[in-house]
Amino acid sequence: MIPAELGFNSTTSSERRVYDALEVSDARGTALHSLNLPTHEYKLTSELDFVLVLDELVLVIEVKGAQVSCNNGLWTYSDRSGHFRQDREGPFKQVTSGMYALRDRLRQRLGGVIDDIAFGFLVVTPDVDLALSSFEWDAETYCGHGQFSRDFSKAVNRAAAYWRGRQPNKFPIDEKVHGQLVQELRPSFDRSPLLDARASTLDVALVRLTDEQFSRLDLISDAPRVICNGGAGTGKTFLAAEVARRKALTGQAVLFTCRSEVLAEFVRGLLAGTDVSVYAAPELPTDRQFDVVVIDEGQDLMNYYSLGRLEAVIDGGWSDGRWVMFMDQNRQAHLYGDYDPDALRFVQSFGPVPATLRTNCRNTREIAFQTRALTGADTGVAAAGAGPEVKFAPVSDRESETAALEAHLRFLREHEVSMGHITIVSLRGDWATSAARGLRSARKGKLRLLSKGSASGWPGEELTWASAVDIKGLENRFVCVIDIDSLESETDIDLLYVALSRPRAGLWLATDPAIASRVAELYRTHAATALEALSKAGA
């Protein structure tokens, strides 16, 4: 399914129901939702509700929800809100013209290979039943309410067989051609709407699903045991949640777990309404096993005590169970102080399929570069494009740091940045001594501290404050990094790595003279490598 998930406000309820039915159908192939065609025989633009690239053909699906009627050649459609519109072009003519426009567009892009592929269409009215067949359509090209409710897979397969029978000289779509077709169509779908949390008060956020992530989803769905490595910003947590959701749709008992109670609460919000069980590792049940276990931030649990507790909830254990582990060995492995490389070798001894995420789908190029230049960590190739310059604010003491932070927040407000899109990340992690305590927002009670209790609604509508440890796995649009006491130890650099990699768009840091001097030293060590990586990415 592309996109991997629909935002609540991104489509009609009828298309959502068809999407859900396709997702659990036995049709083999790729389903793409809402394809806009820039060229059409007699329209400025045209939209196809669904395009299915199946093993045997390309099938275009047109969906008409709620009331559908036709009187003297005039079609009338209504939605669930009671709004009506009329059109002399019926759904069958509409989908036929769209199908040919799609075929012509693909022929322009891919050449003669398209002439060897069968095309077809299916009209779906999930709320009503039209006549089974008509002068205008054959029964195999239509699925009404009854068929849709009973077995939509059968309707799709019947339509595919019908159109293949009509085009006997066409060839099946092999893996190579299938990949070419999806690659051509995918750019229209490469932004997958996800919710920052599944609550009605939150806005829909767009999280880019890269080609790499799509391929990893395919790999993970096929392999019984997987270890997926990726740096900060490569989408591990959202990918882990998506894997868990998909596994649960197959009827399996699925557990999502991680060490952080804050991150677990956030993911519990993401997966609300699914059958996935979400537990922080310290809260794992002792009386239940799961068919599939998805582990996020696996480096935090890489010690024999934690592995033993995890094995107890995996049906079949590490050796024979089904599990997927997402981890970052860049600079997040040592934050808790109990990482054991022998424990990782133990897990790897069970032959998990290795997978790697190299595309940074969170940070701008500027943020990815600065993170690598200061920490030496491989942050991957930034796919989000260019953004505002990373700002370093000189400060001398706590009071000046508070003042500089206040001025930057005022600057963001003047540029119409919502306070809910801003998070202050403290490397010290101590609210009692944080420079943020002196902010006007804090004094007025308009600054919210990240905690287990607030994580499910992250980031919310208020300005937020978080420690670098607690914000692991989370993100926000703008991040201000404060309370940097030292950058001498490996733990200091690990905390900096986490903080720098949280923002999607804007990054600001407060640095006193000692920290600024240390930043210059780190640049001298890592900047050349960061610049080389940036140039290789085609920046």
Side-chain angles (χ1 to χ4, degrees):
M1 301 300 299
I2 302 175
E5 185 172 358
L6 298 181
F8 290 155
N9 300 321
S10 64
T11 189
T12 65
S13 62
S14 55
E15 288 178 24
R16 178 178 296 281
R17 282 177 286 137
V18 172
Y19 179 100
D20 292 340
L22 283 170
E23 194 168 33
V24 297
S25 75
D26 59 8
R28 290 172 48 85
T30 303
L32 304 106
H33 171 249
S34 188
L35 173 62
N36 290 303
L37 291 173
T39 57
H40 189 278
E41 183 179 0
Y42 55 91
K43 295 180 179 179
L44 291 177
T45 61
S46 177
E47 182 182 24
L48 306 179
D49 294 333
F50 292 88
V51 176
L52 275 55
V53 183
L54 304 176
D55 289 351
E56 298 293 318
L57 83 164
V58 174
L59 187 69
V60 178
I61 296 181
E62 175 70 17
V63 181
K64 296 297 183 187
Q67 179 180 332
V68 182
S69 62
C70 181
N71 185 25
N72 295 323
L74 184 64
W75 289 82
T76 302
Y77 309 105
S78 75
D79 58 26
R80 289 179 176 268
S81 300
H83 300 117
F84 289 85
R85 67 179 182 86
Q86 292 183 322
D87 194 348
R88 290 198 175 276
E89 183 183 63
F92 295 90
K93 183 177 180 181
Q94 183 177 341
V95 71
T96 300
S97 64
M99 177 190 71
Y100 285 128
L102 174 67
R103 187 185 66 181
D104 293 342
R105 178 74 172 172
L106 287 171
R107 185 186 290 116
Q108 293 172 12
R109 307 279 293 183
L110 296 176
V113 66
I114 299 303
D115 294 329
D116 294 327
I117 297 174
F119 283 72
F121 65 78
L122 176 66
V123 172
V124 182
T125 57
D127 299 308
V128 298
D129 283 311
L130 306 179
L132 183 61
S133 62
S134 166
F135 180 84
E136 192 173 350
W137 68 86
D138 290 332
E140 294 86 350
T141 65
Y142 170 67
C143 174
H145 169 72
Q147 178 68 62
F148 181 80
S149 301
R150 290 191 303 271
D151 191 351
F152 185 53
S153 291
K154 184 176 180 180
V156 172
N157 293 330
R158 182 180 65 168
Y162 168 83
W163 288 111
R164 282 293 287 121
R166 292 280 301 271
Q167 302 162 83
N169 296 326
K170 305 296 184 180
F171 296 103
I173 299 175
D174 61 28
E175 184 176 351
K176 177 182 177 181
V177 175
H178 183 281
Q180 291 175 326
L181 289 169
V182 174
Q183 185 60 39
E184 283 298 321
L185 298 173
R186 182 177 292 170
S188 295
F189 306 89
D190 69 353
R191 284 193 175 272
S192 175
L194 299 177
L195 296 177
D196 283 341
R198 292 182 182 276
S200 59
T201 58
L202 298 180
D203 296 328
V204 174
L206 290 177
V207 176
R208 183 179 294 274
L209 288 180
T210 65
D211 289 344
E212 181 178 73
Q213 289 172 308
F214 280 115
S215 66
R216 294 302 177 266
L217 281 173
D218 294 339
L219 173 67
I220 291 166
S221 65
D222 295 334
R225 289 169 291 281
V226 178
I227 292 183
C228 185
N229 265 294
T234 54
K236 297 185 300 300
T237 295
F238 282 105
L239 196 58
E242 177 65 13
V243 168
R245 188 185 68 84
R246 290 187 179 200
K247 295 290 187 183
L249 286 173
T250 66
Q252 300 178 86
V254 179
L255 166 70
F256 182 106
T257 188
C258 57
R259 181 164 181 164
S260 167
E261 294 181 3
V262 172
L263 181 57
E265 192 64 28
F266 169 71
V267 173
R268 190 172 288 117
L270 281 180
L271 293 173
T274 73
D275 293 327
V276 178
S277 298
V278 180
Y279 290 96
E283 304 170 337
L284 286 174
T286 58
D287 58 349
R288 184 181 178 189
Q289 289 189 319
F290 296 85
D291 301 323
V292 180
V293 175
V294 179
I295 304 160
D296 194 23
E297 302 287 358
Q299 73 280 349
D300 296 345
L301 299 166
M302 203 53 64
N303 56 77
Y304 283 106
Y305 172 76
S306 297
L307 294 184
R309 296 200 66 201
L310 284 170
E311 183 165 40
V313 298
I314 303 173
D315 186 13
W318 290 111
S319 59
D320 299 315
R322 301 185 70 87
W323 49 267
V324 183
M325 180 179 290
F326 292 83
M327 60 188 301
D328 179 1
Q329 294 175 266
N330 257 317
R331 278 203 165 273
Q332 297 195 62
H334 305 287
L335 289 179
Y336 289 97
D338 55 8
Y339 177 87
D340 186 346
D342 288 336
L344 177 58
R345 286 189 281 272
F346 169 76
V347 174
Q348 291 171 330
S349 71
F350 299 109
V353 173
T356 304
L357 296 170
R358 295 185 175 87
T359 302
N360 186 322
C361 50
R362 174 196 297 155
N363 307 134
T364 63
R365 292 176 183 174
E366 289 80 2
I367 294 170
F369 168 76
Q370 294 288 350
T371 303
R372 188 163 191 165
L374 287 175
T375 68
D378 184 357
T379 52
V381 179
E389 178 184 358
V390 175
K391 299 289 187 179
F392 292 83
V395 299
S396 56
D397 51 28
R398 176 175 167 180
E399 288 71 24
S400 67
E401 186 168 0
T402 302
L405 179 59
E406 190 81 77
H408 183 62
L409 293 175
R410 184 166 56 250
F411 168 81
L412 292 176
R413 283 194 296 268
E414 289 171 354
H415 285 77
E416 299 183 353
V417 175
S418 165
M419 288 295 99
H421 292 157
I422 307 169
T423 297
I424 302 166
V425 177
S426 168
L427 258 63
R428 187 184 310 130
D430 178 23
W431 172 247
T433 62
S434 175
R437 284 201 65 162
L439 292 173
R440 185 179 295 106
S441 297
R443 297 196 302 270
K444 292 184 175 181
K446 295 182 178 181
L447 190 156
R448 184 166 56 96
L449 274 58
L450 173 62
S451 64
K452 180 182 176 181
S454 64
S456 63
W458 180 265
E461 299 178 357
E462 295 176 308
L463 178 66
T464 47
W465 180 96
S467 71
V469 172
D470 283 343
I471 203 172
K472 275 163 51 69
L474 305 181
E475 62 185 51
N476 208 343
R477 192 169 296 172
F478 294 85
V479 165
C480 306
V481 183
I482 63 170
D483 302 335
I484 309 176
D485 297 325
S486 169
L487 294 179
E488 299 299 328
S489 71
E490 288 299 305
T491 299
D492 293 336
I493 304 301
D494 289 352
L495 290 169
L496 182 66
Y497 168 75
V498 173
L500 297 182
S501 58
R502 295 308 100 193
R504 296 196 300 273
L507 175 61
W508 180 94
L509 296 88
T511 57
D512 65 22
I515 295 301
S517 176
R518 179 59 176 151
V519 164
E521 291 178 13
L522 293 169
Y523 265 110
R524 286 193 290 272
T525 303
H526 304 300
T529 303
L531 282 170
E532 182 181 0
L534 192 64
S535 63
K536 286 182 178 179

